[in-house]
Amino acid sequence: MNTPAHKPPAPANNAQVAEVIALSPVTIRRRKPQWRQLTMSFFQRLVPAVLGMGLLVVVWQIAALNSKGFPTPLSTLESAITLFSDPFYNAGPNDQGIGWNVLASLQRVALGFGLAATVGIPAGFLIGRFTFLARMFNPIVALLRPVSPLAWLPIGLLLFQKAEPASSWTIFICSIWPMVINTAEGVKRIPEDYLNVARVLKLSEWTVMRRILFPAVLPAVLTGVRLSIGIAWLVIVAAEMLTGGLGIGFWIWNEWNNLNVGNILIAIVIIGVIGLLFEQSLMLLARRFSWEK
């Protein structure tokens, strides 16, 4: 006779037993108001900058106390107030205010840098696009790029026989290389799929340049422009010291001959501020046209 299979005893009732897990309380953080976040971000940037400038002033004061004839920060500030009280006075060709000298330097930079951008950016496109041109011009770029800016000034004086075009020539030849190099590298880094699509659609080379290459390379172009404008602003000061005439570089050299060291320090601050404005403006522009996440 078969023995019936053993069945487990049924529970007394049909209710299922469930384990209760106690969860720890969750703390909900209230989001800080936007104005408070902006205020904290502002002070986080401001305080280190103020400390850095304060350290610079302290070192400046110590150097002035331990050096004969070196102006203190307070005396330099007094000279700056006098200097900027009438920055655009004109007492003759060799005696004009700091404002006219800065404008003259900016005009030379605009001319030389504008010519460099007009030549350098298209040249970078062609070098990056065509291997033959890259092999032809890369040795020239590698040879001329490290040359000191002041080495180009005598060549400009010989070619143009005048100081004014020679300064712009020096800016042109020194600021063109970053734009050529960055533009060419940007073209080379374009994904091959983009160009394959252009070949399938049988687009003209001009259309490829305008519709595909230029939008994709624009961030690299702006990087080259930012580097070039910094070089141009550095070069003009040195060039004007040697060529003379109206300009911030010549003004610094003239103040040195007059032993006005305070005015030289003021000019250094002006040069730094203008260079900083150039760089920050171009960095904002580069971020605006950057597609990198």
Side-chain angles (χ1 to χ4, degrees):
M1 185 175 63
N2 296 331
T3 305
H6 176 72
K7 295 182 179 179
N13 51 30
N14 294 330
Q16 296 181 353
V17 179
E19 182 180 359
V20 178
I21 301 176
L23 298 176
S24 58
V26 178
T27 303
I28 300 176
R29 296 183 179 180
R30 293 184 178 180
R31 188 176 181 180
K32 296 180 179 179
Q34 186 176 5
W35 66 268
R36 184 175 297 180
Q37 293 180 356
L38 294 175
T39 303
M40 291 181 61
S41 176
F42 174 76
F43 280 104
Q44 287 174 354
R45 294 174 180 271
L46 179 64
V47 172
V50 171
L51 291 177
M53 295 302 296
L55 179 61
L56 176 62
V57 172
V58 170
V59 173
W60 182 356
Q61 180 68 32
I62 294 173
L65 294 176
N66 292 277
S67 300
K68 185 178 180 180
F70 198 83
T72 63
L74 183 59
S75 63
T76 304
L77 179 61
E78 294 173 352
S79 299
I81 294 174
T82 303
L83 190 66
F84 290 111
S85 62
D86 188 12
F88 291 100
Y89 76 88
N90 190 344
N94 297 322
D95 187 12
Q96 299 187 32
I98 184 67
W100 295 118
N101 287 274
V102 171
L103 289 178
S105 297
L106 290 174
Q107 182 178 1
R108 294 189 184 99
V109 168
L111 178 60
F113 176 77
L115 291 174
T118 303
V119 176
I121 294 175
F125 269 100
L126 295 175
I127 292 174
R129 184 76 175 93
F130 302 106
T131 304
F132 177 81
L133 293 178
R135 292 173 179 172
M136 184 169 71
F137 286 105
N138 281 341
I140 299 176
V141 174
L143 176 66
L144 299 182
R145 184 175 62 87
V147 177
S148 172
L150 296 182
W152 292 107
L153 185 59
I155 304 299
L157 292 172
L158 180 62
L159 291 174
F160 302 104
Q161 301 295 319
K162 290 182 180 180
E164 186 65 28
S167 300
S168 299
W169 149 262
T170 306
I171 295 171
F172 165 80
I173 199 65
C174 293
S175 61
I176 191 173
W177 309 122
M179 287 186 280
V180 172
I181 294 172
N182 280 273
T183 303
E185 287 298 321
V187 173
K188 292 177 182 178
R189 293 179 182 178
I190 292 177
E192 193 65 25
D193 293 342
Y194 292 3
L195 301 179
N196 291 336
V197 171
R199 295 188 189 99
V200 171
L201 297 176
K202 296 181 180 180
L203 300 179
S204 64
E205 192 63 38
W206 169 247
T207 304
V208 172
M209 286 277 189
R210 185 166 52 94
R211 295 289 187 179
I212 297 177
L213 297 185
F214 184 75
V217 179
L218 187 56
V221 171
L222 291 175
T223 299
V225 169
R226 180 171 60 87
L227 296 175
S228 294
I229 194 64
I231 294 175
W233 188 238
L234 289 173
V235 169
I236 189 59
V237 176
E240 288 175 344
M241 284 184 179
L242 298 179
T243 58
L246 191 65
I248 189 65
F250 175 72
W251 191 82
I252 291 175
W253 189 250
N254 189 49
E255 294 302 310
W256 167 249
N257 292 329
N258 295 328
L259 299 179
N260 292 329
V261 183
N263 286 352
I264 295 175
L265 295 176
I266 295 169
I268 290 174
V269 174
I270 294 173
I271 293 169
V273 169
I274 294 176
L276 180 63
L277 291 176
F278 278 148
E279 182 178 5
Q280 292 299 318
S281 300
L282 290 172
M283 285 180 66
L284 291 175
L285 189 62
R287 293 194 193 102
R288 170 64 180 81
F289 291 100
S290 178
W291 291 276
E292 296 180 0
K293 300 298 182 181

